[in-house]
Amino acid sequence: MSEEQIRSLERNFNERIERDEKIEPKDWMPEKYRKTHIRQISQHAHSEIVGMLPEGNWITRAPSLRRKVALLAKVQDEAGHGLYLYSACETLGVSRDELYEQLHTGKAKYSSIFNYPALTWADMGAIGWLVDGAAIINQVPLCNTSYGPYARAMIRVCKEESFHQRQGFEIMLKLANGTPEQKEMAQDALNRWWWPSLMMLGPTDDKSVHTEQSMKWKLKRKTNDELRQQFIDQTVPQADVLGLTIPDPDLKWNEERQSYDFGEIDWDEFWQVVKGHGPMNKERMKARVGAWERGTWVRDAAMAHAEKKQARKEKQVV
Amino acid sequence: MATKNWPLWEIFVRSKNGLEHRHFGSLHAADAEMALENARDVYTRRNEGVSIWVVESKHITASNPENNGELFEPAQDKVYRHPTFYDVPDEVKHM
């Protein structure tokens, strides 16, 4: 294809997105659009898969049957969300195996929030309330994104996500209204998860390299700073209901902006964790890769069994 | 080292009787039976369906958007296929 032809295709493509038309898998798309989507959707899928690990650790230690069934269902949803997203990503011409390979070799990233440890039961509350809360803020605008399979996956994810946040909040509420020790445990979890949750919404706008292009493609509909502000404004009143204190001495209602002002985020910490030096990076990858490798014989056996059954069926036909 | 990867299957779900099966997404499974079981877990955790079809993705033939012109444009100028093309006097109330 000549450069002139590509330019004309690109113009046409950009106009379609401006008209809010969806792009579907077999449509022509710029190579950069395809690559950016593979990166973002797979990163999102990996986050769901790795996100099962900190919570999966607590299933056997859930304090009651009610909590246990909820946590099991939540972790199962996360597996499901990972699978919806991998399947959306594969429509862009990348195989599941390549995607796993990228995760397992560290080539692909996942949300750095999962590189923090879940130390107490209250962390199950804080993760649901804050981490899923921040994820929802990130994800709701994606239900309208330009790439059809991603938007459809996100609609399903968002529908299921609100149970996650509510079950987390309920855990926090119970602890916050419990014994002094329980309340202290809830406060401690909030102290540890608050700042990483704010970081989850991504670097500040002036440092975010992908924002401008992603906004054009409607792969992003609000900037990181806007999303972060929205998260803070919605979460502070919820902390008040819990009777817990947000660990930020600079947090203050700004009457003029009708929003909360907040303190400086430790971005050095964020970049350290992104680069692999968080408290749990190694542990998470070890658990994930280990599970994949230990499952090899099961996948092989299932395939061998399927082939044997198929061969038997064909023989009967003859 | 895994010898063969599980193939990809497309999943169609009927959300309730009276409605058609609709494409929900895809997943990997060793065979059709496993694809059905996985589809139940992946796509119908909240009563989204009463019936599931699975089709191995390689068996689906899709039209190419490049041919959309020849495929779909001819229908655009056939206004006479729509009821509003025909003049009926106002006295005729229901038709």
Side-chain angles (χ1 to χ4, degrees):
Chain A
M1 230 183 298
S2 76
E3 272 187 37
E4 183 47 47
Q5 275 172 307
I6 291 180
R7 263 199 301 278
S8 136
L9 281 168
E10 259 175 13
R11 240 188 337 268
N12 185 5
F13 179 86
N14 291 334
E15 283 163 12
R16 287 182 63 192
I17 291 185
E18 268 164 47
R19 285 195 302 268
D20 262 330
E21 270 181 46
K22 298 289 180 203
I23 308 301
E24 293 295 344
K26 295 189 82 166
D27 292 344
W28 185 88
M29 60 186 81
E31 211 31 47
K32 205 174 154 207
Y33 180 91
R34 185 188 302 278
K35 286 217 174 95
T36 304
H37 276 74
I38 290 177
R39 185 176 49 80
Q40 179 167 327
I41 302 172
S42 67
Q43 207 167 302
H44 198 161
H46 299 327
S47 302
E48 298 282 355
I49 297 303
V50 178
M52 291 193 281
L53 297 171
E55 291 176 309
N57 276 336
W58 278 94
I59 291 173
T60 54
R61 289 174 283 169
S64 68
L65 187 57
R66 177 184 159 91
R67 296 289 178 225
K68 192 174 192 162
V69 291
L71 190 58
L72 259 174
K74 179 178 193 279
V75 172
Q76 197 191 9
D77 272 354
E78 274 146 17
H81 297 176
L83 293 175
Y84 305 156
L85 289 161
Y86 281 130
S87 119
C89 199
E90 284 173 271
T91 64
L92 290 159
V94 62
S95 75
R96 182 73 60 92
D97 255 46
E98 288 171 78
L99 296 172
Y100 284 160
E101 173 79 13
Q102 289 170 1
L103 172 65
H104 296 165
T105 56
K107 204 180 145 213
K109 294 204 174 65
Y110 54 88
S111 182
S112 60
I113 192 94
F114 302 116
N115 291 318
Y116 289 87
L119 301 176
T120 72
W121 173 251
D123 288 29
M124 294 304 99
I127 290 175
W129 173 40
L130 301 172
V131 176
D132 288 272
I136 292 171
I137 295 235
N138 235 335
Q139 288 168 350
V140 168
L142 288 173
C143 296
N144 270 317
T145 189
S146 61
Y147 189 56
Y150 192 27
R152 292 192 286 276
M154 288 318 302
I155 290 171
R156 203 165 290 134
V157 168
C158 286
K159 260 192 217 159
E160 299 181 349
E161 201 79 55
S162 82
F163 130 63
H164 297 181
Q165 197 189 11
R166 289 175 68 131
Q167 68 89 35
F169 188 79
E170 198 192 86
I171 291 172
M172 292 302 270
L173 191 65
K174 200 82 176 179
L175 291 171
N177 291 317
T179 63
E181 288 84 354
Q182 286 172 327
K183 183 165 182 182
E184 203 186 307
M185 201 161 98
Q187 180 65 55
D188 170 62
L190 169 57
N191 293 349
R192 284 181 290 108
W193 289 96
W194 175 252
W195 292 103
S197 300
L198 297 190
M199 294 176 199
M200 232 182 113
L201 295 151
T204 51
D205 295 350
D206 54 329
K207 297 267 161 42
S208 170
V209 282
H210 304 298
T211 295
E212 203 193 329
Q213 181 64 74
S214 294
M215 295 283 270
K216 270 193 202 136
W217 286 334
K218 301 187 178 171
L219 184 51
K220 210 174 188 139
R221 315 220 57 163
K222 284 181 175 176
T223 70
N224 295 350
D225 287 335
E226 286 169 339
L227 294 170
R228 191 164 15 248
Q229 186 70 59
Q230 188 187 337
F231 174 70
I232 292 170
D233 290 346
Q234 126 184 352
T235 310
V236 174
Q238 295 166 358
D240 292 342
V241 172
L242 294 172
L244 298 176
T245 312
I246 304 256
D248 178 359
D250 297 322
L251 188 79
K252 202 167 88 238
W253 178 250
N254 183 325
E255 190 59 39
E256 199 181 317
R257 286 201 307 124
Q258 289 291 301
S259 257
Y260 285 92
D261 292 336
F262 55 97
E264 196 68 40
I265 293 170
D266 182 357
W267 291 110
D268 286 342
E269 177 185 319
F270 174 76
W271 291 114
Q272 280 301 312
V273 180
V274 169
K275 283 179 190 139
H277 309 300
M280 297 296 278
N281 295 57
K282 288 206 179 73
E283 178 66 31
R284 297 292 182 237
M285 268 308 98
K286 204 177 122 203
R288 167 65 199 157
V289 174
W292 180 249
E293 283 172 355
R294 284 193 304 277
T296 306
W297 73 269
V298 180
R299 295 192 298 278
D300 285 347
M303 203 61 226
H305 179 63
E307 281 168 350
K308 206 168 89 185
K309 266 199 308 189
Q310 183 63 27
R312 198 179 300 146
K313 220 159 115 191
E314 276 160 19
K315 219 165 144 191
Q316 276 171 358
V317 173
V318 176
Chain B
M1 198 53 215
T3 41
K4 267 188 198 157
N5 295 324
W6 290 357
L8 188 66
W9 300 76
E10 299 300 322
I11 311 303
F12 301 82
V13 176
R14 182 201 297 288
S15 45
K16 62 176 186 185
N17 275 9
L19 294 178
E20 64 279 70
H21 286 77
R22 198 164 59 83
H23 184 240
F24 264 45
S26 60
L27 50 76
H28 290 266
D31 59 14
E33 205 181 315
M34 188 195 279
L36 269 180
E37 285 163 5
N38 289 357
R40 188 204 69 151
D41 289 341
V42 177
Y43 292 106
T44 64
R45 286 193 302 283
R46 289 178 176 78
N47 300 315
E48 288 92 339
V50 295
S51 163
I52 303 173
W53 288 348
V54 299
V55 183
E56 204 178 329
S57 309
K58 69 175 183 196
H59 296 310
I60 290 184
T61 308
S63 68
N64 192 327
E66 275 169 35
N67 304 331
N68 276 9
E70 58 197 83
L71 280 177
F72 305 117
E73 269 167 27
Q76 279 171 13
D77 57 8
K78 301 199 170 35
V79 280
Y80 48 85
R81 284 181 177 160
H82 298 277
T84 44
F85 180 73
Y86 300 93
D87 295 324
V88 174
D90 288 345
E91 301 95 273
V92 183
K93 291 228 160 67
H94 302 292
M95 184 180 278

